[in-house]
Amino acid sequence: MTQLIRQGLNGSKPQQRMWRVHDMKDSYDVVIIGGGAHGLAAAYYLAKHHGITNVAVLEKRYIGHGGSGRNTTIIRSNYLTPEGVLFYDESVKLYQELSQDLNFNVMFSQRGHLTLAHTDSAVRTMRWRAEVNQLQGVDSRLVYPDELAKICPQLDLSDHPRYPIMGALFHPPGGIIRHDAVVWGYARGADERGVHIHQMTEVTGIDVQQGKVAGVQTDRGYIKTGVVLNATAGWCTLIADMAGVRLPITTHPLQACVSEPLKPFLDVVIVSGSLHVYVSQSDRGELVMGASVDPYQSYSMDSTLDFMEGLSGHVLELLPMLSKVKILRQWAGVCDMTPDYSPVMGLTPVEGFLVDVGWGTWGFKASPVSGKRMAEMIATNKTPDLIAPFRLSRFYEDALVGEKGAASVGH
Ligand SMILES: Cc1cc2nc3c(=O)[nH]c(=O)nc-3n(C[C@H](O)[C@H](O)[C@H](O)COP(=O)(O)OP(=O)(O)OC[C@H]3O[C@@H](n4cnc5c(N)ncnc54)[C@H](O)[C@@H]3O)c2cc1C
């Protein structure tokens, strides 16, 4: 603080840059495509845990241009399958220590997460999830309206709404975070350890020779490398196509919005799968709200009035007290949706071409664990047990990891 005041008064010394600009080398040991939280986390852990620093992160625009700078920051591990719960739980634990690890405040606020049930079958799914969660040591349980009224008194728990609330899955460790800080913190940590971050550098081709990666073509020149990690989320099939790898992924827009800032009144994250909406209140007081993906495939990042109208109607069914609140802004990102709502991580038929994709509407929360485990995989050439269930080959081995009941609107 004293340093800040001193700098403000004499105004001369500029702050040190968070990450540097380097000349692009013509060869790197590892090239990571995509400067989102996943690509940057993988670079950070490669350098920090494995001493692999001859690494380039190539980003076609600016870091955080994709979902990592557009998401609504929900972090949780209350998934439906044991594989999913264990995987996301490691991420929640890494997030708990991230501010200290990166020496950068990522403002992780574990305020609790409620997934509402409006039908008998939804109550059954919440009970199922609670039991799977508890068996894996994750704190989550089914609560009924009497307890819900204490956890979130603002909810309309009467029988007035079209779909009255019958119960909820309550997950106390769930919460929200500052997404930009996560991106910037990983970028700074990777840069400090020698990783080169190249913004405004678009990958335009992948050079595959005799079934192995030999390099990548960019709009700034060719880079020789034996290892490429595709961490481009909504654009991942375009990159995979360049290597001749087909992914079972389609890209859909996902929209969100924030309200004008309000005095703090909501200290829990609320999600309704039946109404396709979720709401939390940021530390600035804005209500952060979103829905499911748009029902058509597109790379468009434009917002629509249709989304805003549908979302407003559904939010007011849950929280009628918000009827006079104004919307401040809305935006969209693109999401890489998989058939089973789980990610795709690891090897592909092309040697040296790895994927960390299929993050759909739920991938921000996995940035630390996927970064850590993909780095481990690159460094050791072995697939860590935790990510083995998410291998690409599961789609033709009849071994899907079905998370639709816990991942679609729940983010
Ligand atoms: C509105 C919205 C709300 C969401 N809410 C949540 C949430 O609450 N919780 C949650 O866990 N997840 C949420 N998500 C999903 C989450 O944002 C993503 O799954 C996650 O951020 C993906 O991170 P990433 O690093 O893999 O990819 P991204 O952050 O998308 O980064 C990929 C990068 O690749 C770059 N790129 C693409 N093509 C090229 C190329 N040819 N050359 C070089 N670079 C390229 C892009 O510019 C981009 O910056 C949400 C997403 C959206 C859009």
Side-chain angles (χ1 to χ4, degrees):
M1 182 57 105
T2 336
Q3 196 194 358
L4 199 64
I5 293 170
R6 205 176 302 128
Q7 271 179 10
L9 290 176
N10 67 32
S12 52
K13 194 163 161 267
Q15 287 281 330
Q16 203 188 330
R17 292 191 75 92
M18 292 272 287
W19 52 90
R20 290 160 291 176
V21 176
H22 297 276
D23 290 337
M24 203 165 81
K25 295 202 276 183
D26 52 15
S27 153
Y28 286 95
D29 293 340
V30 180
V31 167
I32 297 174
I33 312 175
H38 282 254
L40 292 164
Y44 173 77
Y45 292 115
L46 269 173
K48 183 175 180 212
H49 290 173
H50 307 284
I52 299 175
T53 56
N54 187 21
V55 176
V57 177
L58 307 182
E59 167 52 54
K60 69 173 175 176
R61 298 283 301 277
Y62 50 89
I63 65 167
H65 159 253
S68 299
R70 296 165 190 269
N71 69 86
T72 42
T73 83
I74 297 174
I75 311 287
R76 63 187 176 92
S77 59
N78 57 353
Y79 278 76
L80 186 61
T81 64
E83 297 88 340
V85 175
L86 281 175
F87 174 74
Y88 291 106
D89 186 44
E90 180 165 297
S91 220
V92 170
K93 289 179 178 143
L94 287 165
Y95 267 128
Q96 284 168 337
E97 291 160 13
L98 200 60
S99 292
Q100 204 156 4
D101 187 13
L102 299 175
N103 189 23
F104 198 81
N105 188 359
V106 295
M107 297 169 74
F108 187 23
S109 163
Q110 293 185 277
R111 55 185 59 190
H113 181 282
L114 283 173
T115 316
L116 304 177
H118 306 258
T119 61
D120 287 336
S121 65
V123 172
R124 180 182 149 274
T125 305
M126 298 313 154
R127 175 169 298 134
W128 174 5
R129 279 170 67 180
E131 288 184 10
V132 175
N133 291 179
Q134 286 164 20
L135 278 171
Q136 306 305 329
V138 166
D139 185 2
S140 116
R141 65 195 159 88
L142 190 61
V143 292
Y144 290 99
D146 49 343
E147 194 177 349
L148 260 177
K150 292 187 195 121
I151 299 170
C152 186
Q154 298 81 10
L155 277 174
D156 184 349
L157 293 165
S158 71
D159 57 7
H160 172 73
R162 216 164 13 134
Y163 302 106
I165 297 166
M166 297 172 69
L169 181 68
F170 182 44
H171 176 51
I176 54 173
I177 200 161
R178 175 139 193 244
H179 54 352
D180 294 327
V182 174
V183 171
W184 298 334
Y186 274 129
R188 185 178 70 169
D191 172 272
E192 273 168 358
R193 289 167 175 80
V195 169
H196 285 188
I197 298 170
H198 297 297
Q199 301 186 92
M200 305 307 284
T201 307
E202 179 164 1
V203 172
T204 53
I206 300 193
D207 182 12
V208 178
Q209 290 176 16
Q210 287 154 359
K212 287 187 193 166
V213 165
V216 296
Q217 189 62 50
T218 78
D219 57 358
R220 293 175 55 208
Y222 181 84
I223 301 172
K224 196 167 155 242
T225 186
V227 181
V228 169
L229 175 63
N230 177 2
T232 54
W235 298 270
C236 66
T237 53
L238 303 176
I239 299 291
D241 281 353
M242 294 176 192
V245 171
R246 287 194 67 201
L247 297 174
I249 288 177
T250 52
T251 290
H252 290 250
L254 178 66
Q255 305 193 44
C257 64
V258 289
S259 73
E260 61 185 326
L262 305 169
K263 269 192 181 172
F265 72 95
L266 187 64
D267 61 359
V268 64
V269 181
I270 304 171
V271 181
S272 166
S274 306
L275 296 178
H276 292 265
V277 288
Y278 59 92
V279 190
S280 68
Q281 188 170 25
S282 76
D283 294 327
R284 282 193 297 222
E286 297 162 356
L287 294 175
V288 181
M289 299 176 279
S292 309
V293 285
D294 288 344
Y296 44 83
Q297 292 178 37
S298 169
Y299 292 98
S300 164
M301 294 205 279
D302 291 337
S303 310
T304 64
L305 181 61
D306 184 52
F307 156 79
M308 206 57 254
E309 284 179 345
L311 177 112
S312 309
H314 288 142
V315 167
L316 290 179
E317 282 199 41
L318 299 176
L319 301 162
M321 40 149 349
L322 300 180
S323 62
K324 296 280 185 286
V325 171
K326 296 188 181 62
I327 295 297
L328 188 64
R329 67 196 148 83
Q330 66 178 116
W331 68 92
V334 286
C335 293
D336 40 339
M337 302 298 289
T338 54
D340 60 358
Y341 287 68
S342 280
V344 186
M345 303 175 74
L347 304 174
T348 70
V350 172
E351 197 179 325
F353 182 68
L354 305 175
V355 287
D356 171 7
V357 299
W359 291 111
T361 65
W362 55 85
F364 191 73
K365 70 178 67 61
S367 311
V369 64
S370 65
K372 179 179 160 189
R373 296 304 181 167
M374 288 309 300
E376 180 185 337
M377 186 169 185
I378 291 169
T380 62
N381 236 340
K382 291 197 192 106
T383 304
D385 290 346
L386 198 65
I387 63 171
F390 307 114
R391 64 195 176 278
L392 176 59
S393 60
R394 76 177 184 273
F395 293 101
Y396 46 87
E397 290 165 355
D398 196 16
L400 300 189
V401 188
E403 282 291 1
K404 186 167 186 188
S408 50
V409 73
H411 294 356

